[in-house]
Amino acid sequence: MSLNDSQTVVTVVAALAIVAGLAGVVVPGLPALPLCWGGVLVWAIFGGAGPGGWAVFAAATLVAAGGTVVKYAWPGRNLKRTGVPTSTLLAGAVLGIIGFFVVPVVGLVLGFVAGVWGAERLRLGSNRLAWPSTVQALKAAGLSMLVEFTAGLLVAALWLAGLLLT
């Protein structure tokens, strides 16, 4: 693998986009999988990898698209089965984002939990009934993050393999 100056810059930019994408799984406002996918796209277009680079990009596209679908479908199906409505998750998301700015990083989790619990407390009318729904919503959020991170790691592994083999 020999890199000229422009290929080195493209490789570094692609690597930074992929790393930022992986960080985006836990940082609100960073689109995780689109950043990972975009890093591979930049590398395929400007990195001079040829047909092998485009094959890596095609595989990364399939992984990113599949990961996005699974990220929403699997946890959403689990929440529907347990009876947690979408409005509860929206309340958690809004308070999580507010919490992130009030108490950086930790506020995201605290705000999400408080928002879900508050919405379920209002909906169900009891602390005893609200907490199990909150736990289910937290499990779904964790599963969604795990799926997204795994897909991002797969995209990164594909890119790295393409970088080393093309």
Side-chain angles (χ1 to χ4, degrees):
M1 169 178 82
S2 90
L3 298 174
N4 62 35
D5 288 338
S6 64
Q7 285 177 325
T8 302
V9 170
V10 168
T11 301
V12 169
V13 167
L16 289 174
I18 291 169
V19 169
L22 292 173
V25 172
V26 294
V27 176
L30 288 179
L33 287 177
L35 274 173
C36 292
W37 177 84
V40 177
L41 175 62
V42 166
W43 173 76
I45 293 172
F46 302 109
W54 288 105
V56 168
F57 174 69
T61 299
L62 291 174
V63 169
T68 300
V69 169
V70 172
K71 167 189 162 183
Y72 291 111
W74 188 9
R77 184 183 54 138
N78 290 348
L79 285 175
K80 283 195 186 295
R81 188 181 50 202
T82 59
V84 178
T86 305
S87 60
T88 294
L89 295 178
L90 289 174
V94 168
L95 280 176
I97 291 169
I98 292 169
F100 178 77
F101 292 106
V102 173
V103 182
V105 182
V106 178
L108 174 68
V109 175
L110 295 175
F112 180 77
V113 171
V116 168
W117 180 83
E120 286 299 281
R121 173 73 170 84
L122 287 173
R123 183 175 75 91
L124 299 172
S126 159
N127 289 336
R128 185 179 55 84
L129 296 174
W131 187 246
S133 296
T134 304
V135 169
Q136 290 303 317
L138 286 172
K139 286 180 182 178
L143 179 60
S144 177
M145 290 172 70
L146 180 64
V147 167
E148 187 174 31
F149 189 70
T150 301
L153 282 178
L154 286 172
V155 167
L158 285 167
W159 172 75
L160 189 58
L163 182 66
L164 296 174
L165 299 174
T166 58

